[in-house]
């Protein structure tokens, strides 16, 4: 089992010391959240809160994801940074390929490219991208990122994007894992066709149902290679629980030590955050 430390929407000055502390404590990775802007009004619901409320996002410090990944990669040597998750369809895929390829090439392939669709139509409006058919657009984005990060000449002719033969350098020495976030059937099917799935949280029964669907969709897609399953679960906080998750095929657990859906700024001191991640490493990571 691999352990990923989750912290987001906190004081921007905390990220570098937290990444250093997580690496020193033995974590394999750290998640990095993505948000472009906060619209004043929206009819959309946040998919991972019980009532769909999004107010906890207002006034939170959200460093641009690639900028943050670059800064944290530069002060660590082994920690992997998993985007959780990048709102892919609102971005130009060739630019994402350049950013991701450069990051992976510079920092020893320590990028997990978690991607998803944004639930906010306002994100699409802000970036000048149609909200309709965002799933199909995302599939094309993934194809383009895979092709352009090989370092070889690549061309693409799709419904939304048309790229003549071109190549990018530098290129990573290994393919960048593309991990799909989301609980909807479309997201699970997309994950089954790619390199892994990122769970958004929920109870154990719901997780079991999602894992069963994911296994079925992988079988239908004929997917048999390496596959990452990143999960948020209460079982991740005990050695016995880790064994239960391993038996279900989970490869990575995401652990955090505060409730992220609280309105207002994060008031937890940096020293407390570091003590919490170190305590978990002593009690759980060192035991499994």
């Amino acid at each position: 089992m691999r352990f990923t430390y989750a912290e987001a929407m906190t004081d921007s000055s905390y990220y570098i010391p937290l990444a250093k502390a997580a690496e020193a404590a033995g974590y394999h990775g750290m998640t990095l959240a993505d948000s472009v802007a906060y619209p004043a009004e929206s009819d959309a619901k946040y998919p991972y809160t019980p009532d769909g409320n999004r107010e906890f996002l207002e006034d939170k410090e959200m460093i641009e994801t690639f900028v943050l990944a670059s800064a944290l990669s530069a002060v660590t040597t082994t920690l992997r940074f998993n985007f959780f998750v990048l709102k892919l369809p609102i971005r130009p895929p060739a630019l994402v390929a350049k950013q991701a390829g450069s990051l992976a090439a510079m920092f020893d392939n320590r990028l997990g490219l978690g991607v998803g669709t944004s639930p906010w139509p306002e994100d699409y409006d802000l970036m000048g991208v149609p909200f309709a058919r965002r799933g199909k657009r995302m599939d094309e984005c993934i194809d383009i990122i895979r092709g352009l990060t090989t370092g070889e000449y690549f061309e693409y002719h799709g419904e939304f994007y048309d790229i003549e033969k071109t190549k990018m350098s530098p290129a990573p020495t290994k393919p960048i894992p593309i991990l799909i976030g989301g609980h909807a059937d479309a997201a699970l099917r997309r994950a089954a066709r790619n390199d892994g799935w990122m769970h958004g949280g929920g109870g154990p029964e719901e997780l079991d149902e999602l894992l069963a669907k994911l296994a079925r969709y992988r079988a239908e897609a004929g997917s048999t290679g390496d596959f990452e399953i990143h999960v948020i679960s209460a079982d991740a906080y005990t050695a016995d629980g880790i064994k239960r998750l391993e038996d279900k095929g989970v490869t990575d657990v995401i652990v955090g030590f505060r409730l992220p859906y609280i309105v207002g700024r994060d008031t937890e001191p940096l020293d407390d955050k570091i003590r919490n991640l170190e305590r978990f490493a002593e009690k759980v990571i060192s035991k499994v």
Side-chain angles (χ1 to χ4, degrees):
M1 183 68 72
R2 296 184 294 252
F3 294 86
T4 302
Y5 172 59
E7 180 60 276
M9 298 178 287
T10 192
D11 187 310
S12 299
S13 67
Y14 289 1
Y15 287 109
I16 286 177
L18 286 172
K20 290 180 176 179
E23 181 173 75
Y27 290 79
H28 175 264
M30 182 172 177
T31 60
L32 303 183
D34 177 48
S35 181
V36 176
Y38 185 85
E41 297 180 2
S42 178
D43 293 330
K45 302 294 185 182
Y46 187 73
Y48 301 111
T49 52
D51 57 1
N53 190 288
R54 69 188 185 99
E55 291 179 8
F56 70 93
L57 289 164
E58 187 169 9
D59 296 328
K60 292 296 198 301
E61 296 185 20
M62 300 286 281
I63 305 300
E64 197 282 323
T65 317
F66 281 103
V67 171
L68 182 57
S70 298
L72 300 186
S73 295
V75 297
T76 56
T77 57
T78 61
L79 203 65
R80 180 170 128 169
F81 297 98
N82 297 317
F83 292 1
F84 188 51
V85 292
L86 191 78
K87 297 173 180 178
L88 183 56
I90 69 172
R91 290 171 161 85
L95 178 58
V96 174
K98 184 63 177 179
Q99 292 170 311
S102 297
L103 189 63
M106 284 186 70
F107 297 111
D108 196 26
N109 305 295
R110 290 188 285 133
L111 172 64
L113 190 59
V115 295
T117 59
S118 171
W120 316 121
E122 294 80 10
D123 278 340
Y124 293 82
D125 294 340
L126 180 65
M127 302 299 287
V129 177
F131 188 62
R133 293 182 56 73
R134 58 197 177 277
K136 171 61 176 169
R137 182 181 294 274
M138 181 165 159
D139 288 335
E140 291 196 10
C141 289
I142 291 171
D143 290 343
I144 290 167
I145 292 165
R146 284 199 186 281
L148 287 176
T149 54
T150 62
E152 304 296 330
Y153 280 106
F154 172 79
E155 63 181 298
Y156 191 83
H157 308 287
E159 178 180 347
F160 302 105
Y161 304 100
D162 196 80
I163 297 174
E164 297 301 328
K165 188 175 290 187
T166 189
K167 67 178 176 180
M168 290 182 172
S169 182
T173 56
K174 297 178 182 178
I176 298 171
I178 295 181
L179 316 171
I180 309 299
H183 292 187
D185 282 359
L188 295 171
R189 289 184 184 277
R190 186 171 291 114
R193 300 192 299 268
N194 285 283
D195 304 311
W197 175 60
M198 303 190 86
H199 174 227
E205 291 184 2
E206 181 188 13
L207 175 59
D208 288 346
E209 293 172 1
L210 292 169
L211 291 174
K213 281 186 178 181
L214 188 60
R216 185 167 71 250
Y217 295 152
R218 289 197 73 214
E220 291 173 359
S223 301
T224 58
D226 292 341
F227 192 78
E228 300 180 15
I229 298 178
H230 296 244
V231 162
I232 299 170
S233 171
D235 269 345
Y237 295 86
T238 67
D240 288 344
I242 292 294
K243 179 63 168 60
R244 286 192 291 271
L245 291 172
E246 286 179 331
D247 290 343
K248 295 177 182 182
V250 173
T251 61
D252 299 75
V253 289
I254 301 168
V255 294
F257 307 104
R258 70 179 179 91
L259 185 65
Y261 302 132
I262 294 174
V263 175
R265 61 183 294 270
D266 174 22
T267 59
E268 183 180 41
L270 174 61
D271 287 346
D272 288 357
K273 292 181 183 297
I274 292 176
R275 275 195 296 269
N276 286 336
L277 73 84
E278 289 176 340
R279 187 178 299 115
F280 175 84
E282 293 167 4
K283 291 185 176 180
V284 180
I285 296 178
S286 66
K287 308 297 184 185
V288 299

